[in-house]
């Protein structure tokens, strides 16, 4: 009977420890986890609080923007992506983590349309892109656009991007980034 009690206690403690260690370390990580689980409203609420306290948190702005986009709130998504685009700081890497960044191996060009050429449209289109852990593009949200079919051509080009996903300690994970396509007449 004592052996059964000890075994039961051991597994109960093991389960409790696993539950504790499986939890996200911070509210920020909880927000990313909500996004990855498809709980976009929870992600918006959690990440919204994070960016209120740390306006320079680029990754939180990106995930907040993509969460808004998934909830079909384009206005708030665009606002979050524009905030993220202004921030140039990179996220620090913990010393015990081996982080391999996302590597784009092929970025197809977007075609200039005849009507854009006729109307002398110039400028830059910016897209928020979710790069999946499986090596596939998961979402593309244009947040800085140009007329005459240029934005649509950029989205089509971005769908064909080839990349190696980001990885932490050898485990691939999804990430969100910003891509730019520029058009000039000359």
């Amino acid at each position: 009977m004592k052996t059964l009690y000890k075994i039961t206690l051991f597994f109960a403690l093991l389960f409790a420890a696993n539950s504790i260690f499986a939890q996200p370390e911070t509210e920020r990580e909880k927000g990313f986890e909500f996004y990855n689980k498809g709980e976009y409203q929870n992600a918006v609420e959690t990440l919204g609080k994070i960016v209120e306290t740390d306006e320079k948190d680029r990754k939180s702005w990106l995930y907040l923007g993509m969460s808004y986009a998934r909830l079909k709130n384009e206005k708030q998504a665009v606002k979050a992506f524009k905030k993220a685009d202004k921030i140039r700081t990179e996220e620090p890497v913990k010393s015990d983590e081996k982080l391999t960044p996302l590597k784009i191996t092929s970025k197809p060009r977007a075609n200039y349309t005849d009507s854009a050429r006729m109307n002398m449209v110039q400028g830059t289109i910016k897209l928020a892109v979710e790069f999946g852990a499986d090596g596939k593009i998961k979402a593309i949200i244009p947040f800085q656009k140009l007329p005459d079919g240029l934005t649509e051509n950029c989205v089509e080009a971005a769908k064909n991007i080839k990349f190696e996903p980001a990885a932490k300690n050898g485990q691939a994970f999804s990430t969100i980034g910003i891509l730019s396509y520029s058009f000039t007449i000359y």
Side-chain angles (χ1 to χ4, degrees):
M1 191 68 175
K2 285 184 178 182
T3 306
L4 180 61
Y5 175 75
K6 287 179 182 178
I7 291 172
T8 304
L9 182 61
F10 171 77
F11 282 110
L13 289 172
L14 184 65
F15 177 75
N18 188 35
S19 295
I20 290 168
F21 291 115
Q23 297 298 318
E25 291 178 26
T26 65
E27 283 296 304
R28 180 177 184 258
E29 289 174 356
K30 190 185 289 186
F32 302 150
E33 190 173 288
F34 282 139
Y35 176 83
N36 289 324
K37 288 181 178 178
E39 298 176 25
Y40 305 122
Q41 187 60 47
N42 289 335
V44 163
E45 292 167 10
T46 304
L47 294 170
K49 292 175 188 172
I50 299 302
V51 298
E52 280 179 17
T53 59
D54 184 0
E55 291 184 7
K56 301 266 186 229
D57 187 341
R58 185 174 200 265
K59 184 175 179 181
S60 291
W61 279 114
L62 287 169
Y63 276 82
L64 178 61
M66 198 59 80
S67 296
Y68 276 126
R70 298 286 189 165
L71 292 170
K72 307 277 190 256
N73 188 337
E74 184 179 348
K75 184 178 178 181
Q76 290 299 323
V78 167
K79 182 179 173 183
F81 291 138
K82 285 183 176 181
K83 287 270 196 179
D85 191 40
K86 291 179 183 175
I87 301 168
R88 294 288 167 226
T89 58
E90 292 300 318
E91 186 162 333
V93 178
K94 294 178 187 173
S95 62
D96 62 337
E97 293 178 339
K98 184 177 182 224
L99 187 66
T100 306
L102 168 80
K103 181 180 178 185
I104 295 176
T105 56
S106 172
K107 181 182 171 190
R109 293 177 56 139
N111 294 326
Y112 214 119
T113 63
D114 291 337
S115 61
R117 193 173 287 110
M118 243 173 44
N119 293 323
M120 299 179 65
V121 176
Q122 297 187 95
T124 301
I125 293 172
K126 293 193 177 185
L127 309 172
V129 179
E130 182 176 358
F131 299 92
D134 60 359
K136 297 179 180 171
I137 300 293
K138 300 296 182 188
I140 302 169
I141 311 296
F143 67 93
Q144 186 173 307
K145 303 175 182 181
L146 289 175
D148 297 322
L150 293 178
T151 300
E152 294 78 3
N153 282 0
C154 289
V155 169
E156 286 304 312
K159 287 178 182 178
N160 295 308
I161 288 174
K162 304 290 182 224
F163 65 95
E164 295 172 11
K168 186 187 302 184
N169 298 326
Q171 182 71 33
F173 64 92
S174 295
T175 189
I176 299 171
I178 295 175
L179 295 179
S180 297
Y181 285 90
S182 294
F183 295 92
T184 58
I185 294 178
Y186 304 102

